[in-house]
Amino acid sequence: MNNDMDSDKRRAGVPSLQQAVLGPPAPPAAPGVSGSSEHFQDIVSAGQAQGAANGPEAVKAGASHSQAVSRVVLAVVTVVVLVALIVAVVLLPMPGWLVDSAKAGNATAAKQVEQTDLTYYCPSRMALSDNGKYGDSEFQSSEGNVASSARYSAFGSVYEASVGAVTNGSEADNKKLTGKDTVDSAMVKTYSGTADHGSQAFETRLLAAKSGTGAAASVASWATDGDLKGLAASTCVAPALEQDFLLGPTTTGSTQQLSVANFSSKATSLQVQIWSTKHGTPLQLSTGNVVNIGANGETNVELSAAAPGNEALFVKVKSKETPIAAVVRSVELDGLNAKGSDYAVPLNAATTKAYLPGITGDDAVTVLARAEQTTDLNLSWIDGNGASAAKTQHLEAGKVFAVDLGKAPDGVTGLQASAASPVDVTAKVTQNADSGTDFAYVAPSQSFAQSAVVIPDHTDGVITLLNTSDSETKATLQGYDASGKPAGSKQVSIPGNAGTSVAAKDVDQNAVMFTLKNGKDVSMGVRLTQSDVQGANLASVAYLASSGLEPRNMKVWVNDNAGIVH
């Protein structure tokens, strides 16, 4: 049967398996030629060689075609998958299991930020708010022979310090404070001049923000004739977004001139609010309550014109954009008679207990006070033995009160004010003489572990220390001369809630700058005197508060939540 099938295939022209592998059969041998096995083997070898030559090309062509098809399919699938993934990432929220969780949930970290660049505003000498010449010469106002002095000091780890004009000044005109540059030096960088040529900017760059490092500066102004007779003084003021003042009257003959400086390269607008002894709500000011001040500028506001006819004022100055520094020049006249002048500096934050060093026996004392909430204010004299009650005054919320305490008893070194709710207080201290009167504002002084006060040239002083704790405390006064070299020291011991006074000359004859160490419970201030004014038998009184030599820092809190990143 198989033979028949092979015969049929051959008839149909279909090659046999042997033909497919070895090629077509050889033609019949020519007559006379032998069909030996050797000849057959040659034919088979030739066929195999021909197959070996054609086979790899065929296989290679088929393989190349298959690879090309595979690559196309793989590329299409990859594009589809990538498009799907992109759409999913963009449109769908990230699964929670793919997000790294914070180590401690929503962790909170604290960062301590310290201030190493300090700036202070030092006002120019005392001046009349209106120095115009009107009417007969004998009735004209006059500043007289007013003179001034200023001292600037930098303590501790200080890189550099300089003094220059607040406005219209160039850095080349700045005065450098001199002293040793070494971190461990016991010397103080210092510079002394006048305040006759406008307000000054006192800038200090610290090497490190630490206890015992900082700056202090003060200005004094005096005259023996004219409408500014007597003595006035001010510490230099650090900028802040809000500054508050308690001031005397704006009645006839009294002026309150607010001077504001902006050290920023950005202009700002100020909101001025005033409360009086008449109302517990802010006054409607006749001059409006918004003041604009340019970049690196200075401006004056006549508070007496804005709120005339009041016995006492509480003034709040708020800056909208940048920190500002301000002082108030207060001048009082009674017809042709000078009744004194002084600078008012910004108050510290309202508190339930305040200490006012620098009040002495024979001072006529009026306490200016205001509270946001209705409360009772308790006032006590402080002397070398402790505190004794002076007066209690009921305060209505918002209203300003002028509390007359009369003359301070002999031996008094200061005043204590306490209340159940925070209160702003200032004492207006008056000295009388045959030739007239002079007054000074004594604001509360804060306690610091280390603090400083500097006395301007041509003035002298008595340092007053009040112990704000219930137990005895000891502190050390260190003096420095005008060149910044150490000049004497004195350890003082103060009973609880008591006070003591130390003349500057008792520390050292040449001491003009002072630091107080271990004074975390001690409030310090200085009562100034001036020899020309005393020699003219004129009334004179002036006060300087101390400045803290403690780091100015702020703690910044940061919430760490890695879950918000996806």
Side-chain angles (χ1 to χ4, degrees), residues 302-533:
E302 297 296 340
L303 301 177
S304 301
N310 291 284
E311 293 299 324
L313 300 177
F314 176 79
V315 180
K316 185 183 294 292
V317 183
K318 286 185 177 181
S319 174
K320 183 178 181 182
E321 301 291 342
T322 66
I324 49 93
V327 298
V328 176
R329 289 180 179 82
S330 181
V331 179
E332 295 185 16
L333 298 171
D334 182 10
L336 299 178
N337 299 319
K339 296 185 65 178
S341 62
D342 198 27
Y343 301 91
V345 298
L347 300 169
N348 297 320
T351 181
T352 57
K353 185 174 286 188
Y355 290 84
L356 293 74
I359 297 173
T360 64
D362 205 38
D363 285 343
V365 181
T366 299
V367 174
L368 309 177
R370 178 185 176 272
E372 290 285 352
Q373 301 176 1
T374 298
T375 189
D376 288 331
L377 175 65
N378 301 307
L379 300 170
S380 301
W381 301 115
I382 297 178
D383 59 20
N385 298 316
S388 58
K391 193 170 187 177
T392 297
Q393 174 68 49
H394 182 70
L395 303 180
E396 298 176 21
K399 287 182 66 175
V400 181
F401 286 80
V403 185
D404 185 4
L405 297 183
K407 285 194 174 183
D410 291 340
V412 163
T413 54
L415 189 69
Q416 181 194 84
S418 61
S421 299
V423 178
D424 288 298
V425 294
T426 285
K428 183 185 178 186
V429 174
T430 304
Q431 283 278 334
N432 296 295
D434 294 339
S435 57
T437 63
D438 194 18
F439 69 88
Y441 291 110
V442 177
S445 181
Q446 289 182 290
S447 300
F448 302 95
Q450 296 197 52
S451 57
V453 66
V454 298
I455 298 176
D457 273 346
H458 310 296
T459 65
D460 198 359
V462 175
I463 303 166
T464 302
L465 307 171
L466 302 184
N467 183 356
T468 64
S469 70
D470 296 330
S471 57
E472 182 181 22
T473 188
K474 293 182 179 180
T476 302
L477 275 172
Q478 173 65 57
Y480 301 87
D481 66 16
S483 67
K485 295 179 181 179
S489 65
K490 187 178 183 66
Q491 188 177 70
V492 293
S493 180
I494 314 170
N497 293 308
T500 189
S501 296
V502 179
K505 300 300 184 185
D506 289 344
V507 178
D508 189 271
Q509 285 293 318
N510 298 315
V512 294
M513 299 173 284
F514 302 87
T515 59
L516 181 69
K517 299 180 181 180
N518 302 321
K520 66 181 181 66
D521 296 321
V522 179
S523 175
M524 179 170 66
V526 176
R527 279 285 288 263
L528 289 184
T529 58
Q530 208 284 325
S531 58
D532 293 339
V533 178

